[in-house]
């Protein structure tokens, strides 16, 4: 569990820090204001201890002991970490009687640690919000009664009820009721979606306006939301290349600065017998050989050596970026993937289900020889009614839609046919494999199928199907969308009778559509074209990615040349490769990597698994509730929304920029402070406040800017 940020300020460490801070304030008052009351209270090894000294030592005991204790364990483990450096500095300052410096260091460092914990926790706020989405309790129907029980006790198969405005407690399937459901926490969809019986719903989403009864399909710990939270938490532990570099750098940086601190404390007093006045950049500086002075400067350099801000500069940015993305329906499964996505040179898309909807739909109806569009559609639906082919499903769905539209226009539902006529009787259905279907409709045999089927029946269409050749060749076809030429628009529509010849059919197929002819063995009723519609926002996504800095946008598809070319033209894709088998897609990704650099492959996470595994970053579409996509992809777009890709790229690119800013800023400040130490320009307090606490807060605040990146800016 992620603790609320407010608990940082009420922890045991915080209470000790406040006690230490109060003692430091009192000590300073006696030291500089109430000097008359600053009497001696003890003598230790011949040294007098005043009231102020006692208060400072009390501050060291309250705020510094936890640091010293942690430093001791670090020393035992031979770890030159922050606690060891700070603990050493506190003990050393106290040992030589610099109680003010020791107390100030102990308190300020403790405050810095608390601020760092608070700031890091703020970066996890989005994750905390996700964890709070799923309700702890659920209303379950048991033995005919509705009982409220902990969500963790609900078993798969039980029925939970959700009233308007309530959160859905567990993943499940709607069995009764209808409601608009806000599932933005899971999929990132900004608009509520309608859910009716048979639809899937996710834990943490909200039933906006209707009552639902849901059959539970997964227990609380295995819900989609629970898996998202688990993966986000795991993602934060995966180290990026930059983090590994920072750790390696810190491994050299810290020992070197420690050696310089020791040298600063020990060497100048050995070589400076008398005060030496020098002029540096127009300023006069006097170096003295006093051991105490140089020892304090050595301690100050030791404090500056702590690489706190430098080390946290990357993880705090990664935490902020990953949790912000999760809140917006984008699951990034590791800081390494966040970093890699911001560096991609090429985005490669699968076609079906990514740039297109993944579902066939009727796009054109071309009746001929006096047949009207409604009659053509009515007979096509009758012939296809018993077919299980996706094309048949598209024709039937369009016919049902036409019935609904006709009913609405008449002010009442019309269930008899697209024009109010009785649906024709269908018998003797037969599937003609690879060609189409045949059925007896109203006592007469009708066919629906490819133009080639009607050529076999004796129709002279002078047919030349590019799509059929591409589908059977099995070879790879490539092209540039800009060079493919203009596709002639097909003639005919739902309202006009067209001429059904080779030119019409070829124009439809060059537009990426599949043409189905309908008729008897002696007369054609017309043609129906179906296609997998391009997503409305696909062209905008391609353009936006290019504007954001992606060098090349490519489509890799197993579909035929004509369809690929049409989709590429509609979306503005730079390059497409058609007729690809899974192994061909892998080769295509490798070729893109060799030519351009880093490649992100966007697909469904299942069919494109080999190519996605080969790419530098694998992005899965529509992964909500899909175990395979959640497990195999590097990044999952939880909603079926390709429009999130520009946001993902912008977030990743910005995260890389923030990481670089944090690293160089923290190093630059440390370097400038280190230069000022030998000149006596930097005190212990300044080293802590600016170099440690200040920079830690600075890099954290800079990282939190990532949570402010709004996906709507990139739609």
């Amino acid at each position: 569990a992620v603790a609320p940020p407010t608990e940082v300020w009420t922890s045991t460490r915080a209470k000790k820090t406040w006690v230490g801070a109060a003692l430091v304030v009192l000590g300073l008052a006696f030291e500089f204001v109430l000097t008359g009351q600053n009497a001696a209270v003890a003598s230790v090894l011949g040294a007098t201890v005043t009231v102020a000294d006692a208060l400072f030592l009390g501050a060291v005991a309250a705020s510094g002991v936890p640091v010293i204790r942690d430093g001791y364990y670090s020393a035992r483990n031979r770890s030159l970490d922050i606690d060891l450096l700070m603990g050493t500095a506190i003990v050393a300052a106290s040992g030589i009687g610099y109680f003010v410096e020791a107390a100030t260091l102990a308190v300020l460092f403790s405050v810095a640690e608390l601020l760092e914990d608070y700031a890091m926790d703020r970066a996890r706020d989005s994750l905390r919000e996700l964890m709070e989405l799923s309700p702890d309790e659920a209303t379950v129907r048991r033995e005919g009664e509705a009982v409220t029980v902990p969500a963790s006790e609900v078993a798969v198969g039980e029925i939970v009820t959700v009233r308007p405005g309530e959160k859905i407690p567990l993943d499940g399937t709607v069995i009764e009721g209808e409601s608009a459901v806000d599932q933005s926490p899971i999929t990132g969809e900004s608009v509520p979606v309608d859910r009716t019986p048979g639809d899937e719903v996710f834990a943490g989403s909200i039933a906006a306006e209707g009552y639902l009864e849901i059959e539970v399909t997964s227990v609380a710990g295995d819900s989609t939301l629970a898996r998202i939270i688990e993966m986000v938490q795991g993602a934060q532990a995966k180290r990026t290349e930059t983090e590994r570099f920072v750790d390696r750098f810190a491994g050299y940086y810290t020992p070197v600065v420690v050696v310089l601190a020791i040298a600063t404390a020990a060497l100048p007093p050995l070589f400076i017998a008398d005060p030496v006045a020098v002029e540096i950049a127009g300023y006069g500086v006097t170096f003295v050989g006093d051991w105490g002075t140089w020892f304090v400067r050595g301690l100050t350099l030791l404090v500056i050596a702590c690489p706190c801000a430098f080390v946290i500069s990357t993880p705090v940015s990664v935490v902020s970026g990953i949790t912000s993305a999760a809140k917006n329906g984008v699951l990034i499964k590791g800081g390494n993937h966040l970093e890699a996505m911001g560096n991609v040179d090429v985005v490669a898309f699968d076609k079906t289900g990514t740039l297109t909807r993944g579902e066939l739909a009727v796009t054109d109806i071309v009746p001929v020889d006096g047949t009207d569009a409604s009659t053509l559609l009515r007979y096509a639906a009758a012939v296809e009614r018993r077919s299980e082919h996706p094309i048949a499903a598209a024709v039937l769905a369009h016919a049902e839609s036409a019935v609904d539209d006709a009913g609405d226009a008449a002010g009442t539902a019309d269930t008899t046919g697209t024009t109010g006529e009785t649906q024709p009787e269908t018998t003797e259905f037969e599937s003609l494999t690879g060609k189409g279907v045949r059925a007896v409709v109203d006592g007469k045999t009708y066919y629906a199928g490819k133009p080639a089927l009607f050529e076999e029946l004796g129709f002279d269409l002078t047919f030349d199907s590019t799509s059929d050749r591409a589908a059977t060749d099995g070879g790879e076809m490539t092209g540039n969308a800009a060079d493919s030429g203009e596709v002639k628009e097909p003639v005919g529509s739902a309202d006009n009778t067209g001429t059904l010849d080779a030119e019409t059919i070829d124009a439809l197929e060059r537009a990426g559509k599949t043409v189905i002819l309908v008729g008897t063995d002696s007369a054609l009723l017309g043609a129906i074209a179906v296609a997998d519609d391009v997503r409305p926002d696909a062209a905008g996504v391609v353009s936006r990615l290019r504007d954001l800095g992606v060098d090349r946008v490519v489509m890799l598809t197993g579909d035929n040349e004509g369809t690929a070319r049409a989709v590429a033209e509609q979306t503005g894709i730079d390059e497409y490769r058609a007729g690809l088998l899974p192994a061909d897609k892998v080769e295509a990704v490798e070729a893109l990597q060799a030519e351009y650099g880093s490649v992100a492959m966007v697909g469904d996470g299942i069919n494109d698994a080999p190519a996605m595994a080969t790419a530098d970053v694998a992005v899965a579409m529509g992964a909500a509730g899909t175990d395979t996509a959640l497990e195999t992809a590097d990044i999952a777009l939880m909603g079926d929304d390709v429009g999130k890709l520009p946001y993902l790229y912008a977030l990743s690119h910005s995260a890389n920029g923030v990481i670089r800013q944090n690293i160089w800023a923290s190093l630059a400040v440390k370097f400038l402070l280190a230069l000022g130490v030998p000149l006596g320009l930097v005190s212990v307090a300044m080293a802590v406040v600016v170099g440690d606490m200040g920079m830690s807060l600075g890099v954290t605040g800079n990282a939190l800017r990532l949570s402010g990146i709004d996906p709507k800016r990139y739609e």
Side-chain angles (χ1 to χ4, degrees), residues 179-432:
S179 177
V181 175
D182 177 7
Q183 54 186 32
S184 57
I186 309 299
T187 65
E189 295 167 291
S190 57
V191 179
V193 293
D194 293 331
R195 287 292 177 256
T196 58
D199 291 336
E200 184 180 18
V201 291
F202 305 110
S205 50
I206 301 171
E209 56 189 26
Y211 170 84
L212 295 174
E213 291 189 3
I214 300 166
E215 182 178 351
V216 175
T217 56
S218 64
V219 296
D222 195 38
S223 68
T224 301
L225 178 61
R227 292 203 305 273
I228 292 172
I229 293 170
E230 181 182 354
M231 288 181 179
V232 171
Q233 289 175 322
Q236 295 173 3
K238 295 181 180 179
R239 306 177 73 78
T240 69
E241 286 295 329
T242 304
E243 283 182 284
R244 286 192 283 267
F245 163 76
V246 166
D247 286 344
R248 290 194 301 270
F249 184 86
Y252 294 102
Y253 159 85
T254 305
V256 168
V257 181
V258 168
V259 170
L260 289 176
I262 295 172
T264 299
L267 295 182
L270 296 178
F271 296 98
I272 302 175
D274 300 312
V276 178
V278 297
E279 185 174 311
I280 300 177
Y283 293 93
V285 179
T286 301
F287 292 99
V288 296
D290 177 60
W291 281 94
T293 299
W294 286 103
F295 191 84
V296 171
R297 292 179 182 179
L299 290 180
T300 305
L301 199 56
L302 194 66
V303 172
I304 293 172
C306 295
C308 182
F310 175 63
V311 170
I312 71 167
S313 58
T314 299
V316 72
S317 303
V318 168
V319 168
S320 180
I322 288 177
T323 53
S324 177
K327 185 179 177 181
N328 288 295
V330 179
L331 177 59
I332 303 174
K333 295 169 59 178
N336 51 332
H337 305 311
L338 174 70
E339 188 174 69
M341 186 65 200
N343 292 324
V344 298
D345 303 296
V346 178
V347 175
F349 288 93
D350 175 44
K351 179 185 74 69
T352 305
T354 304
L355 291 173
T356 64
R357 297 181 186 276
E359 297 179 357
L360 293 177
V362 173
T363 59
D364 298 83
I365 300 177
V366 186
V368 295
D369 295 335
T371 304
D372 59 67
S374 61
T375 300
L376 170 59
L377 183 60
R378 190 163 66 92
Y379 276 94
V383 178
E384 297 278 16
R385 186 169 296 121
R386 297 184 184 179
S387 174
E388 297 181 354
H389 196 280
I391 291 177
V395 171
L396 291 170
H398 192 80
E400 291 176 4
S401 176
V403 169
D404 293 340
D405 291 344
D408 291 341
T412 181
D414 183 354
T415 58
T416 58
T418 59
T419 60
E421 302 175 31
T422 303
Q423 287 283 4
E425 181 182 352
T426 304
T427 59
E428 299 181 28
F429 173 83
E430 181 183 359
S431 176
L432 306 175

